[in-house]
Amino acid sequence: MKMFSSLKHLSKPTSDFTSRFMSSQVKTAVVMLNMGGPQHVDQVHGYLHRIMTDRDMMQLPFQNTLGPYIARRRTSEVQKKYAEIGGGSPILKWTNLQGKLMCEKLDKISPSTAPHKHYVAFRYVEPLTESTFEQVQKDGADRVVLFSQYPQYSCATSGSSFNAIYSYFQKKTFPENLKLSIIDRWATHPLLIKAIGFKNLR
C-alpha cells in the first residue's frame, strides 16, 4: 500500500477547489469504503472486470488480457447467482441505511463536527470511489473521515480503496485546509466482538 499520509504533501490547492471545501453545509463527510456489489445483473460484467484487472486485488500473468477474459467467462454464471437472490446485491441499501443512522447519531454526540453526511465509495461498482469523491468535492466538506467497512486491514481490499483515493487526489489536488481521518480497521473493537459473540477474542 502506498503511504497514504503523503496525500498532505501533494501540490498546492487552487483557490476554487479550496473555497468549495470551506463554504460547505456539510462539515464532516464520512466516506464508507467497501468492495460493493452489482445492484442488477447488467452490472455484473463491469463489476467482475474491475476486480479481475485490479492489481491490488489479485495479480495475474498477462492481466490486461487474462483479467477481461475471465470476467467475460464468469459473467453469465455470476448473473444467475444474483438472480437467485432477487437480481442484485443488497449491500448498497444496507450501507446507506447504516450511514444515515450513523450520521444522525454523530450529529447528536458530536455537534462540533456536525452536520455529518455519509457517502458510499465502492471499489468495483457504482458508486465508484472516484465519482464519490467528486461529490464530496462538490458538497465542500471541510473534514473527511475515510471509514473502511472491512473489520480487518488487507492490501487487497481496504488497501485497494486507499490507493484509489490516493490516485484521485494526485490528479485533483489535495486542499491543505481539509482535515483527513482514517479508520482502516476495527476487528478488535468491543462492540464488534459483542455483536458477533466472540467473548474471548484478543
Side-chain angles (χ1 to χ4, degrees), residues 72-95:
R72 287 193 302 271
R73 288 292 303 269
R74 293 271 296 163
T75 293
S76 178
E77 178 185 350
V78 175
Q79 284 177 328
K80 292 176 182 177
K81 297 297 184 182
Y82 277 109
E84 292 175 1
I85 61 169
S89 167
I91 191 171
L92 180 59
K93 170 187 172 182
W94 289 113
T95 304

Side-chain angles (χ1 to χ4, degrees), residues 31-39 43 46-51 54 92 119-136 160-161 164-165 168:
V31 183
M32 304 171 75
L33 310 175
N34 212 331
M35 181 182 295
Q39 305 308 301
Q43 290 182 325
Y47 174 72
L48 293 176
H49 184 277
R50 291 184 184 100
I51 291 176
D54 181 5
L92 180 59
Y119 299 80
V120 178
F122 285 157
R123 191 68 187 92
Y124 304 117
V125 69
E126 290 287 352
L128 291 166
T129 303
E130 295 79 7
S131 58
T132 294
F133 272 86
E134 289 286 350
Q135 188 60 52
V136 172
S160 181
S161 289
I165 298 167
Y168 173 86

Side-chain angles (χ1 to χ4, degrees), residues 24-62:
S24 173
Q25 294 181 355
V26 178
K27 191 168 185 180
T28 301
V30 182
V31 183
M32 304 171 75
L33 310 175
N34 212 331
M35 181 182 295
Q39 305 308 301
H40 48 77
V41 293
D42 291 343
Q43 290 182 325
V44 168
H45 176 260
Y47 174 72
L48 293 176
H49 184 277
R50 291 184 184 100
I51 291 176
M52 295 297 172
T53 55
D54 181 5
R55 297 286 290 178
D56 288 325
M57 173 59 73
M58 63 182 69
Q59 296 187 11
L60 302 171
F62 309 106

Side-chain angles (χ1 to χ4, degrees), residues 2-184:
K2 301 178 179 72
M3 288 301 294
F4 201 80
S5 60
S6 61
L7 278 176
K8 290 190 176 293
H9 302 289
L10 298 180
S11 55
K12 298 288 185 181
T14 63
S15 58
D16 179 58
F17 187 91
T18 303
S19 65
R20 284 198 294 271
F21 273 86
M22 295 179 68
S23 61
S24 173
Q25 294 181 355
V26 178
K27 191 168 185 180
T28 301
V30 182
V31 183
M32 304 171 75
L33 310 175
N34 212 331
M35 181 182 295
Q39 305 308 301
H40 48 77
V41 293
D42 291 343
Q43 290 182 325
V44 168
H45 176 260
Y47 174 72
L48 293 176
H49 184 277
R50 291 184 184 100
I51 291 176
M52 295 297 172
T53 55
D54 181 5
R55 297 286 290 178
D56 288 325
M57 173 59 73
M58 63 182 69
Q59 296 187 11
L60 302 171
F62 309 106
Q63 190 153 356
N64 289 338
T65 300
L66 186 57
Y69 171 77
I70 295 173
R72 287 193 302 271
R73 288 292 303 269
R74 293 271 296 163
T75 293
S76 178
E77 178 185 350
V78 175
Q79 284 177 328
K80 292 176 182 177
K81 297 297 184 182
Y82 277 109
E84 292 175 1
I85 61 169
S89 167
I91 191 171
L92 180 59
K93 170 187 172 182
W94 289 113
T95 304
N96 274 322
L97 178 58
Q98 290 170 345
K100 175 178 178 293
L101 295 175
M102 174 180 62
C103 287
E104 289 175 357
K105 182 71 170 180
L106 287 172
D107 285 346
K108 294 178 181 178
I109 67 175
S110 183
S112 64
T113 58
H116 302 81
K117 180 179 178 181
H118 85 278
Y119 299 80
V120 178
F122 285 157
R123 191 68 187 92
Y124 304 117
V125 69
E126 290 287 352
L128 291 166
T129 303
E130 295 79 7
S131 58
T132 294
F133 272 86
E134 289 286 350
Q135 188 60 52
V136 172
Q137 174 184 334
K138 290 177 183 178
D139 288 350
D142 61 11
R143 178 189 299 270
V144 175
V145 179
L146 305 180
F147 183 13
S148 172
Q149 300 303 287
Y150 306 101
Q152 71 286 348
Y153 176 81
S154 169
C155 291
T157 52
S158 43
S160 181
S161 289
F162 291 136
N163 281 341
I165 298 167
Y166 177 94
S167 297
Y168 173 86
F169 278 113
Q170 277 191 314
K171 298 173 185 176
K172 292 290 183 177
T173 312
F174 190 82
E176 290 183 345
N177 64 295
L178 180 64
K179 299 179 180 69
L180 180 68
S181 302
I182 302 174
I183 303 171
D184 67 350

